[in-house]
Structure formats: structure tokens, C-alpha cells
Amino acid sequence: MIKAPLSVRIVLLVLVTSGILVGGMLATVYQLMVSDYEALVAERETAVIKRVASELELSNQKRLLGLEAFATRLVTDDGQLLDDDALQSLLQKSSVASELFPDGLLVLDAEATAVAEDQYSPGRLGTNYADRPHFQLARQTQQAVISEPILGRTTGLPLLSYLQPIVAESGDLIGYAGGLLNLANTPLVDTGSVIESDPSTVTLIIDPQHRLFVSMQERFDRPEPLPDEGADALVDAALSLSPAGSIVEYQQESYLVASRQLDSPGWIILRALPYSEAIAPAQASFRHFLLIALIAMTIVGLAGAWIARSLTQPIERITRRIEHMADNARFDSDFQEKGGPEVTALAHAMNRLANERKAADMAIYKAERFLSSVLESASEVSIIATDTTGIITAFNKGAENMLGYSHQEMVGKQTPAILHLKEEVDARSAQLTTELGHSVEGFRVFVEKAEQRGSEKREWIYVHKDGHQIPVSMVVTVMRDSAGEINGYVGIAENITDRKRADKIKNEFISTVNHELRTPLTSISGALGLMVGGNVGELPEKAQTLLTTAHRNSKRLTHLINDLLDIEKIAEGKLHFDMQVHAVMPLLEQALEANQHYGSNRGITLSLAGNASNALINVDNQRFMQIMANLLSNAIKFSPQGGEVTLAVETTSNKVSISVIDSGPGIANAFRKQIFQRFAQADASDSRAKEGTGLGLAITRELVEHMGGRIDFESTEGNGSRFFFELPLVQAAEQDTWQLEGITDHQEAPRILVVEDDKDVAKLLSIMLNDAGYQVDTASTGAEALNRLKQTHYDLISLDLMLPDTDGLDIIRLLRQQPDTADIPIVVVSAKMEQGRLAINGDATNIDWLAKPIDQKQLIGIVQQQLSDKYKHHSRVLHIEDDHDLHEVVCAMAGDHFSFEAAYTVQEALTRLKQGAFDVVLLDIGLPDGSGWELVADIRACQPGAKLVILSGADMTQQQHGQVEAVLLKSRLSKETLINGINARIQSFRSTRQPPTNPAS
């Protein structure tokens, strides 16, 4: 940027602006002047050409008329040509024709032979010219003809021949009268009498028909042909009849040309004037205009300099005054408000700024005093500020009280490291280094996360000056300057010793509740349940009533304890979720059945509305049932006697919505905001009509949100409520488990083709199979079945042998001959089952037979067995576990389904991983020679296709869950959990590698 005084910039601005304007005007004026002169010269040259063309046409007409008059004198009274002597004598006499044709007159007989001449040319008399084109034309038309430029046959000169046929009254051609012009001597037109002579102007006359020059700039002694196209720009311009004013480059010079074509004999006249001469007057005028413009710019520049000086001089005086004030560190408000309007406004603004500055300084002083007072008053909170290098810049009274150090000991001398345990800082350093992927050490341990997020809250241990430790909750915040750059950090720490003590007491209490209260309560509730259920014999009615009441309240107490423990786990983030893919409808049906008894004593009915037969969700089965129990029990609790609670389900393209609808009193408007808060109850009094802890909906919301959904409600006071929650749908390819034994984590529900010509039977089979969770297509003929098999992959075929267009046995044989369908299980459902089995006679395998009428249980059993056999695979599992007894238990649980190999140490596991291929690695974390986590990288490298399942006694963190395919807890291990957990990962891998083909898709 130019650092120049304002006056100089104003002058430059004036000069540049005027220069641009003048330059634009000059460019425009020059173009206009040149264009005007071009048009003027073009008009002038066009007029000249018109005059030359008129003169040339008039000259030719005169010559032709003179020749015609002369021809009439060559005929006798009886219509015959004069004899040769008479003709010769006549030619020797002076006449108009001899003046018009100074280069010779000829008389030729009817055969075009020269018989008389006025100027002697050796050998011309007696020469026949009948072969000349213009003679032939004259003979045909019997009209006067002008030849193209020709070379005289006897004279050898470039000539132009005018020919007048002599025709008798009878119409017979009796001779010719001819006139000659020597193009080398005689001009066609006297251009000097038409236009002013200009040696630089080029005038051409050409014959385009015969491509010859008629007249050239230079003399020629023989007919000159036109050059080839592109060789002569002027000739090209003439032939193209370029419009007047066209610019042509000729002999390295520009010419302004004009052209015109004669009506007769079709010649073209071109005039070319050098362009520099054409616009010379315009250039002269422009030079005068340029001189005037430069003088005007000089005057404008001088005027601008004077104006700029008068404007900036007062401003310069104000500037010097401001600099003087800055040097003396004071801000006066006595600027004189006089001069031009701009200067007056500036002085006024400076005076106002001075007053505002004084007010701002006072406000800052008060704010600093206030902040200092706040920092000093925060005697229970430690506030420590540092610069970007970690040196302490502020240490408040609360920090002094908490840590024992004084302000003078810390500020500008120490870093926060003196206040922390070295091992705690090193542990945090290692954690951040692992998490962020780069080294984080020293002071960066405290501020790295704060820089990324703006602030970080974390618990630390402060070390007092006397050495005792203080647990604190510290928030580290980044400080930035006005440009957004980091200029320091603030750490605000609160002593949480009392909170830690309270947490310890609370945890001890929860442990007591969990171990000392829940165990006897379970025994009490179980015993009461047995007694109420009649297992100890019939009881008196009064005792039965008392025991029923005790049993009901023991369940209430159990629910209360469970809710308290769950809400605590949720608050601490310790509640584990075993997420698996489940079909929605079986879960809802199970929940409905499990909660049916809650309302039975009050006549409340539960119903299921809607259908989501193919919907899959990824949830923790146990937590999902807890959600449903909370919502259904609430709906039952608030429904009137004999009311109805509806469980409704509906799906969209990517989510499922599950609603619990009751006909109770609804929710008061004042209570709606607190509905999902802990311990929230519409009636929280001791005398409330409805029992409950107020934790159910709070727990429900946390569970729904942890499983990726959301929960809400709709209610009209007095007209019931609708609580609903939404969960994302899982596509079939993401399904982790399948309800049929042995078909775990297949890509989608098995698809079955029912081939049956009886529509009622086909519909019955479809209903049975759909209810069992299968996808079903039907075909009524053999041809339709074969066509469907070409388009879609099926896992099983139900086949009737009696089809209208073919025998079912033929279809079986055909399917077994084709590689794509050779292994598809077939269930023959036919009234002629025995005959079909005898006809097959073992020729085809993987077939089951079922006779009509159909037994549903038997049908589903056969289908389950066929599909189970199809997917059954003894997968190899490497079990890395140091407990030999546990390995034996695992083998006993799942040995029928998988082939197990054991490794009891890290080193043995590494050897096994390199020696063989495994589908699943079952890994324990605690091993005698190291941690199981050390093997994860080797497992991924040696067994890239294997799925890694952790089998451990302790729960894993969320981050650890993300490193493996599944986590199984030893405390919750069962045969079903183990088999399904392994199968889910194996089938997940197979579905990814070899998805079922579906040509239709």
C-alpha cells in the first residue's frame, strides 16, 4: 500500500481519474475520427469508380455506335459489300470511326477474312479470324461484340477488338466492320479527365469471365492473365467485389479499396488507396486534440493540488496535536471546532472520543477493582492463570487458602506442575498420547484437551505445600486475545474432599442394598410367592389376603431397589448394554404377555395393534423388556377399572415407532416438563393414590437414548396419554441373530418358494411359514416356479408333485442337475407323498416329505431342520484362556457346534495363530505371561478373517468394546449366550464374504 500524505493521494486520485477519462475520450475520439475518414474516403472512391465506370461504358457505347455507323457505309445499294478497292479507299478517308479507333479499322468478309485496313500491317489482309471467340459470338448473335484482351495475330500487340456484323436486308451476314485498340498505347478511358492524378492510387480493370487484365497499373505488351487466387490481394478483392471501405493488405501495406462491376461487358473496376494516406487527416486532427487534452489535464492537476492542500492542512495540524497528546500520555478534549465542515466534524469527534475515553478508563478501573475483589473473595475456589508456556500469572486468595502457597511464591516463578502428583501427570500424559496419536507431555497435559474443546473438566489431586493431598474438580479454560490467538489458560479448582467422602458413603450404602438387602428380599419374595401360589397347601382366606399383600409389596420393594441401582449405574455410565439385532414383533408379543397379569385383577385388557413382521432393531433384549415393563405398568396403573391399554407399532423407511396408549386421566400441563425427571410424580404427597418411585420414566428415557432412539409423549388432560419411542431400523444385511437354531446372523430371513397349484393350500402354507418368521413367495405352475428360481435366490422350496403343467418329480430332477439349485433343500408337500418317494428312489438328496393334510408343527419342524442343516458348520475356535477348567466347561457347552483349540499363554497363542486358520478367537484378558490386549494386533495380522470375541470376568469400556466384535461376561455366560455369540460373528463374516445371490435385484 502507498504510504503517502493525503494531499499527494488526492492529487494522484485527481490525475489518475482525469487521465482515465481523457484516455477514454481520446481512444473514443480517435476511433470515431478514423471511422469517419474511412467512410468519407470510401464514399469518395465509390464516386470516382462510378465516374470511371460511366466514362468507360460511354466510351464503349460511342465506339460501338461509331463502328455501327461506319458499317452502313460499307454496303452497296443492292445490299452487297463494297469491293475491296472501294473498301480500301473508304478506309483511307478520315472519319469518326478512325478517330474512335486510332489503332486501326478493318473490314472482313462474311467468312471473317480481312479484306481492307486503314493502317497497313504486314500479312493482315487475307488472314482469317473465324476461330476467334468474339467473331463466333458476333456470327451467332449478329450483334456488336467487344472482345476480351487478345494478342494481335499479325501485329503481336495486346488488343481490344470491337466487332460490328454487317447484315443485309435479307438477314444474311455479308461481312464485319472491326475497330482495334492497342491496350499498350491507347487508354480505355481518359482517367485524367475524370479524377485527379494520384501516383499512390491503384486502378485496375479486369475481365473476370476470361480472367484477364483489361487495364493495369503498369504497361503491358501482351494480354496479362489474372494471378491465382490468393497471390494478389487487390485482384482477389476485385473479384469478390469487396464493399467500399474494405481494408486489404497488399505488398506489406494496407489499402482502402472500392470496386464496381460494369453491366456490359461485365468488367470489374477497382480503386485502392493507401490506408495511411486515407486516414492522414484524421491523425493530424487527433494530434491537435491530444495536445489540448494534455494542457487540460495539467490545469486540473494544479487545481487538485491546491484544493488538496487547503483540505489537508487543518487535518495535519490535528494529527500533530494527537501525536503530542500520545507522547505526553494524556487525552485532551479542547480541539477547536472550526474550519471546513470535515475538519469541524473531525474536531468534534475527537472531543467526543476524549470524553468517552475518560469514561471508559474509569469503567475499566472499576471493573479491574471488581474482578480483583471477586478473585480475592473466592476464598473456597482456587483460580490459577498461566501464560502459554505454563508460568503462573495469577494466584487468587482461594488458591492460597487451599494450597498453602502465597501469591508472591507462585506468580512469575512456578508452573502448575508443582501442585500435582508426578505419577498422575505421567499417567494422563500416556493416556493422551495414546488417544491423540502424538506425544503430550509436561504442561501440555493440562491444556491439550482444553485447546481442542475450549475447556476441559477433570478430577485431579492437588498437593498442598505441606504434602497432604487434596482431590479437586478442575475446569481448564483457554484465554484468547482480540485476534483469537491463545494468550493463556485459567484453571478453576474446587475442593471435592467432602463430595468424595459422601460418594464413598453412598457407594457403601448401595453395596449394602445390593448385597445385604436384595439377597434376603429375594428369599422373602420367593417364599411368599410359593405360599400365595398354593405350593404349601391351602391357606385360610385371611392369611391368603395378608400374604398376597406382603408378596405385592415385596415386589414393589424389589423394583424400588432395582430402579435405584439402575439410575445410579446410568449416572456413572456403568450400565452395560448387550446390543443384538432382534425382530420387533416377537419382542412386543413377549412384553405383552409378560405384563398381561398386571391389570388382570382390575379387568384391564392389553392389545397389540399394527404389524412390523420384517422390522429388525439393534437393542439389548433385557433393557428393551425393562422399557416395555415401565411403560405398560404405568399405563395399566393409570387406566380406569375395565379399561384398555394398546401397544401399537408402525414403521417408516428407517425407523420403528412403538406406542403405549392408555385411557387414563392424562397428564397435567404443569407436570409435562418434569415427566422424565428423576423422582418426578404428578402427585408427590404422602397420600398419593398411585404407588411408584418416580424413577421409571427417567430410567426409560436413558435406556432408549442409549440404544440410539428417542422417547416422547402426547396427552390431553382427561383423555388418556400416548407414550411412544422410536428406534432406528436395522437392514437385513446387519442382522446379528436369527430365531431359528443354527441360522445365526444370516443376511436376511430365509426366503421360501411355495410351489402349489391349489390357491387355498398355497395361502395356508404362506400363513404358516410367515408366522414362523420366513419370507414366502408362491408359484402355481412348474414354469412359474422355474422362472422365479432364475430370478431370485431361495433358501428352501415347498413343492407339490401334482402341478397342472408338469410333474413335480421332473422339477426335482431338473433342479438337482443345475449347479445353482443342486443344494437347495426341498420339502415335498403332497397327497401322493409315498408314490413320489418311491419314484425318486434315492436319486435326489436333501429332500423331506410331508403328506397332506398339513400339520403346522410338523411343517415348521421340517423346515427348521432343513435350514439348520444347510447352515450348520463346525467352525474352528481358538480359545485363549489360562483356566483349564473353564476351557473344559466352554467345550462342554458348545463342543457340538464348534471345534475348539486351547492356548493357555500369550506365547502359546502366538504359535497357534501362525499355525492354523480360525473363524473365531475367544480371548481372555488376564493371562499368566501378559495381557490379552497384547494379542489383538497379532490376531488381526495373522487371522484377518477371524472375529475376535472377548470372554472376560470384568466388563469392558466403550473404547475397548469398539476394538473387538463382541464382549461376553463370564458371570452371565450360558450355553445359549455362548453359542449365539460365536455364531453371530461367524455368520456375520460369511454373509459379508458370500452374500446370497439375488438375480432379481
Side-chain angles (χ1 to χ4, degrees):
M1 184 175 178
I2 300 175
K3 294 183 179 180
L6 179 60
S7 58
V8 175
R9 282 180 281 163
I10 292 175
V11 172
L12 289 175
L13 178 62
V14 170
L15 290 176
V16 171
T17 304
S18 59
I20 293 173
L21 292 174
V22 171
M25 290 175 58
L26 290 175
T28 304
V29 168
Y30 181 76
Q31 293 297 326
L32 291 175
M33 293 176 68
V34 169
S35 298
D36 289 344
Y37 271 93
E38 286 179 359
L40 184 63
V41 172
E43 290 179 3
R44 185 188 70 189
E45 291 303 311
T46 300
V48 170
I49 286 179
K50 285 183 179 179
R51 290 199 301 273
V52 172
S54 299
E55 182 67 22
L56 185 57
E57 288 181 343
L58 181 61
S59 175
N60 283 337
Q61 289 298 324
K62 285 172 60 178
R63 288 188 175 96
L64 290 175
L65 289 174
L67 192 61
E68 182 180 1
F70 178 69
T72 60
R73 297 171 58 192
L74 303 178
V75 181
T76 62
D77 293 338
D78 57 358
Q80 297 296 321
L81 193 65
L82 295 174
D83 57 40
D84 294 347
D85 293 336
L87 292 172
Q88 191 66 39
S89 174
L90 183 61
L91 289 173
Q92 295 302 321
K93 295 179 180 179
S94 176
S95 64
V96 173
S98 62
E99 294 177 358
L100 294 174
F101 298 98
D103 298 311
L105 285 172
L106 289 179
V107 178
L108 302 95
D109 60 17
E111 283 74 27
T113 301
V115 295
E117 58 184 355
D118 68 339
Q119 297 180 15
Y120 174 70
S121 178
R124 185 158 56 186
L125 293 179
T127 300
N128 186 270
Y129 297 94
D131 59 334
R132 294 280 196 181
H134 62 286
F135 274 91
Q136 296 174 1
L137 181 62
R139 177 183 295 276
Q140 293 174 4
T141 62
Q142 294 187 357
Q143 299 289 330
V145 174
I146 302 175
S147 74
E148 71 275 12
I150 59 176
L151 186 67
R153 186 166 289 177
T154 58
T155 62
L157 298 174
L159 303 174
L160 201 62
S161 174
Y162 292 77
L163 196 62
Q164 174 65 48
I166 303 173
V167 182
E169 292 182 358
S170 61
D172 295 332
L173 182 66
I174 59 176
Y176 303 88
L180 301 175
L181 289 181
N182 183 355
L183 294 177
N185 294 326
T186 306
L188 291 174
V189 61
D190 185 6
T191 56
S193 63
V194 180
I195 57 175
E196 297 179 2
S197 176
D198 187 351
S200 61
T201 302
V202 177
T203 303
L204 297 178
I205 303 176
I206 62 176
D207 181 354
Q209 181 179 359
H210 302 96
R211 293 192 60 82
L212 295 170
F213 281 104
V214 177
S215 174
M216 298 175 60
Q217 193 73 1
E218 302 87 8
R219 289 176 55 83
F220 57 92
D221 54 5
R222 58 186 300 109
E224 284 291 332
L226 299 180
D228 294 336
E229 184 177 354
D232 190 312
L234 293 181
V235 173
D236 293 341
L239 291 173
S240 62
L241 292 175
S242 297
S246 299
I247 307 299
V248 175
E249 295 295 327
Y250 176 65
Q251 294 182 352
Q252 298 182 347
E253 188 176 358
S254 298
Y255 282 83
L256 192 146
V257 301
S259 60
R260 182 182 179 86
Q261 186 169 20
L262 304 181
D263 294 336
S264 176
W267 297 342
I268 295 175
I269 303 174
L270 177 132
R271 289 267 299 174
L273 179 67
Y275 185 75
S276 58
E277 295 183 14
I279 65 170
Q283 292 175 334
S285 300
F286 179 74
R287 285 193 290 271
H288 288 93
F289 185 81
L290 179 61
L291 179 61
I292 295 171
L294 291 175
I295 294 172
M297 278 189 63
T298 302
I299 295 172
V300 169
L302 293 174
W306 179 80
I307 294 172
R309 182 61 180 167
S310 64
L311 289 175
T312 58
Q313 195 170 26
I315 297 176
E316 290 174 358
R317 286 197 299 267
I318 294 176
T319 302
R320 288 193 294 270
R321 173 71 180 281
I322 294 172
E323 289 177 349
H324 178 72
M325 290 165 52
D327 293 338
N328 294 301
R330 61 186 181 84
F331 214 93
D332 298 330
S333 58
D334 56 349
F335 288 89
Q336 296 182 359
E337 299 181 11
K338 64 180 182 178
E342 296 84 1
V343 176
T344 301
L346 178 59
H348 176 74
M350 291 302 300
N351 288 330
R352 181 180 175 187
L353 178 61
N355 294 328
E356 294 291 337
R357 170 65 182 272
K358 292 176 182 177
D361 288 343
M362 182 57 66
I364 291 173
Y365 173 76
K366 292 180 178 179
E368 289 176 347
R369 292 292 302 166
F370 174 76
L371 290 175
S372 177
S373 299
V374 169
L375 289 175
E376 295 303 317
S377 300
S379 57
E380 301 300 322
V381 178
S382 166
I383 302 177
I384 303 174
T386 71
D387 60 17
T388 55
T389 63
I391 300 298
I392 294 175
T393 58
F395 198 80
N396 81 324
K397 191 68 175 178
E400 292 180 346
N401 295 338
M402 183 185 294
L403 298 167
Y405 293 95
S406 67
H407 177 274
Q408 291 75 16
E409 290 178 287
M410 304 299 288
V411 174
K413 299 176 182 178
Q414 298 291 345
T415 70
I418 194 176
L419 307 174
H420 290 267
L421 294 172
K422 183 178 183 303
E423 54 270 24
E424 185 181 32
V425 174
D426 292 342
R428 180 60 174 164
S429 172
Q431 181 184 359
L432 290 175
T433 299
T434 302
E435 179 182 345
L436 302 178
H438 61 84
S439 179
V440 181
E441 297 177 345
F443 178 68
R444 299 298 305 171
V445 169
F446 304 107
V447 301
E448 188 74 21
K449 282 285 188 177
E451 286 186 3
Q452 296 179 3
R453 303 172 181 173
S455 66
E456 181 193 24
K457 184 175 183 180
R458 181 177 176 81
E459 292 186 4
W460 291 92
I461 300 295
Y462 267 172
V463 179
H464 192 273
K465 186 177 181 179
D466 62 12
H468 78 268
Q469 298 176 2
I470 306 168
V472 296
S473 174
M474 183 169 68
V475 177
V476 177
T477 306
V478 177
M479 295 190 298
R480 298 181 184 272
D481 57 22
S482 58
E485 298 295 328
I486 296 175
N487 61 3
Y489 309 91
V490 174
I492 303 175
E494 177 188 4
N495 189 335
I496 57 173
T497 302
D498 293 339
R499 187 200 305 172
K500 288 288 186 181
R501 188 179 298 112
D503 286 344
K504 182 179 179 181
I505 295 172
K506 180 187 68 174
N507 292 335
E508 291 174 352
F509 169 74
I510 291 174
S511 178
T512 300
V513 169
N514 193 27
H515 296 289
E516 304 300 331
L517 184 58
R518 178 182 268 181
T519 301
L521 183 61
T522 302
S523 300
I524 293 169
S525 180
L528 290 173
L530 290 173
M531 296 174 69
V532 170
N535 294 60
V536 295
E538 186 175 354
L539 299 173
E541 182 178 351
K542 188 174 182 180
Q544 181 75 27
T545 302
L546 292 173
L547 288 172
T548 300
T549 302
H551 184 230
R552 182 174 67 252
N553 283 281
S554 70
K555 283 189 173 182
R556 284 183 57 196
L557 186 56
T558 300
H559 286 308
L560 171 60
I561 294 171
N562 288 337
D563 284 350
L564 288 172
L565 293 175
D566 281 346
I567 204 70
E568 183 62 27
K569 288 181 180 178
I570 290 172
E572 296 180 0
K574 296 180 179 179
L575 193 64
H576 177 69
F577 287 81
D578 182 18
M579 304 294 284
Q580 300 289 338
V581 174
H582 297 273
V584 173
M585 292 308 293
L587 291 179
L588 297 182
E589 291 166 358
Q590 182 181 347
L592 206 65
E593 182 178 352
N595 292 277
Q596 193 80 42
H597 67 281
Y598 285 160
S600 58
N601 60 339
R602 295 174 51 215
I604 297 174
T605 59
L606 277 65
S607 62
L608 179 61
N611 187 19
S613 58
N614 296 323
L616 303 172
I617 51 176
N618 189 27
V619 295
D620 182 315
N621 180 35
Q622 180 181 350
R623 302 303 177 189
F624 183 87
M625 288 303 170
Q626 187 175 351
I627 292 170
M628 297 309 304
N630 285 341
L631 294 178
L632 287 170
S633 62
N634 269 1
I636 293 169
K637 181 166 59 177
F638 289 99
S639 292
Q641 188 82 16
E644 181 182 5
V645 173
T646 302
L647 176 59
V649 59
E650 57 181 342
T651 61
T652 62
S653 60
N654 60 356
K655 63 184 178 182
V656 60
S657 177
I658 299 169
S659 304
V660 176
I661 307 167
D662 64 56
S663 54
I667 299 170
N669 293 331
F671 184 64
R672 296 191 177 205
K673 292 182 179 180
Q674 296 99 317
I675 190 74
F676 290 111
Q677 293 180 3
R678 300 177 184 182
F679 303 105
Q681 292 179 314
D683 180 8
S685 64
D686 293 338
S687 59
R688 61 181 181 269
K690 306 296 182 182
E691 61 187 30
T693 64
L695 289 173
L697 289 177
I699 293 173
T700 298
R701 182 180 66 175
E702 295 289 346
L703 295 179
V704 169
E705 291 177 352
H706 270 76
M707 292 190 287
R710 76 175 190 93
I711 187 169
D712 207 342
F713 71 97
E714 298 172 350
S715 179
T716 302
E717 196 167 354
N719 291 322
S721 304
R722 170 180 171 256
F723 281 82
F724 64 93
F725 63 96
E726 297 173 345
L727 292 170
L729 284 175
V730 177
Q731 299 301 319
E734 301 174 17
Q735 184 178 1
D736 283 335
T737 59
W738 179 246
Q739 62 184 8
L740 300 177
E741 182 181 353
I743 309 178
T744 308
D745 195 36
H746 198 45
Q747 190 181 23
E748 58 180 357
R751 183 176 292 275
I752 297 175
L753 176 62
V754 174
V755 186
E756 172 63 60
D757 64 327
D758 189 317
K759 293 183 179 179
D760 293 334
V761 175
K763 184 175 182 181
L764 176 63
L765 287 169
S766 297
I767 293 172
M768 291 179 176
L769 294 170
N770 277 326
D771 288 343
Y774 299 100
Q775 301 180 76
V776 180
D777 294 332
T778 60
S780 58
T781 65
E784 183 182 358
L786 294 173
N787 186 48
R788 281 188 174 274
L789 286 164
K790 290 179 181 178
Q791 296 177 351
T792 306
H793 169 80
Y794 290 97
D795 298 281
L796 184 141
I797 300 172
S798 168
L799 177 65
D800 184 14
L801 298 181
M802 301 175 63
L803 299 174
D805 58 339
T806 186
D807 189 350
L809 298 174
D810 293 334
I811 293 180
I812 293 175
R813 295 187 181 99
L814 181 61
L815 294 179
R816 290 299 182 251
Q817 292 171 4
Q818 297 177 359
D820 292 340
T821 57
D823 296 326
I824 296 180
I826 299 174
V827 177
V828 175
V829 182
S830 177
K832 295 186 176 183
M833 180 194 74
E834 293 300 332
Q835 296 92 317
R837 181 179 292 177
L838 292 172
I840 288 293
N841 194 25
D843 292 340
T845 58
N846 206 10
I847 300 176
D848 267 313
W849 306 83
L850 182 63
K852 295 180 180 178
I854 303 165
D855 182 278
Q856 181 176 2
K857 185 174 181 181
Q858 188 179 3
L859 170 67
I860 299 305
I862 291 174
V863 171
Q864 288 180 347
Q865 183 60 43
Q866 283 279 19
L867 291 176
S868 177
D869 291 341
K870 177 182 177 182
Y871 291 104
K872 188 176 294 182
H873 171 67
H874 273 309
S875 302
R876 298 188 68 202
V877 179
L878 176 60
H879 186 195
I880 305 173
E881 169 64 60
D882 63 331
D883 189 329
H884 293 252
D885 293 336
L886 179 59
H887 174 68
E888 294 300 326
V889 171
V890 168
C891 291
M893 285 182 174
D896 293 339
H897 297 77
F898 311 106
S899 297
F900 284 93
E901 291 189 25
Y904 300 106
T905 65
V906 171
Q907 290 302 320
E908 187 178 354
L910 289 172
T911 303
R912 293 278 188 181
L913 289 170
K914 295 175 182 177
Q915 290 177 345
F918 297 95
D919 296 288
V920 172
V921 177
L922 202 59
L923 176 64
D924 184 22
I925 299 303
L927 297 172
D929 57 342
S931 170
W933 290 113
E934 299 173 6
L935 289 169
V936 172
D938 295 292
I939 294 171
R940 298 300 189 199
C942 298
Q943 305 285 334
K947 298 300 180 180
L948 180 55
V949 179
I950 299 296
L951 179 58
S952 176
D955 200 357
M956 302 291 108
T957 65
Q958 197 66 30
Q959 181 181 359
Q960 291 170 334
H961 270 274
Q963 298 180 41
V964 297
E965 279 68 45
V967 174
L968 301 178
L969 296 180
K970 293 178 180 179
S971 60
R972 299 170 62 185
L973 189 65
S974 65
K975 179 177 181 179
E976 181 182 356
T977 303
L978 178 63
I979 294 173
N980 288 343
I982 296 176
N983 256 333
R985 275 71 216 173
I986 293 173
Q987 296 300 331
S988 170
F989 174 56
R990 290 178 183 162
S991 297
T992 303
R993 289 187 305 173
Q994 298 175 346
T997 58
N998 189 346
S1001 61

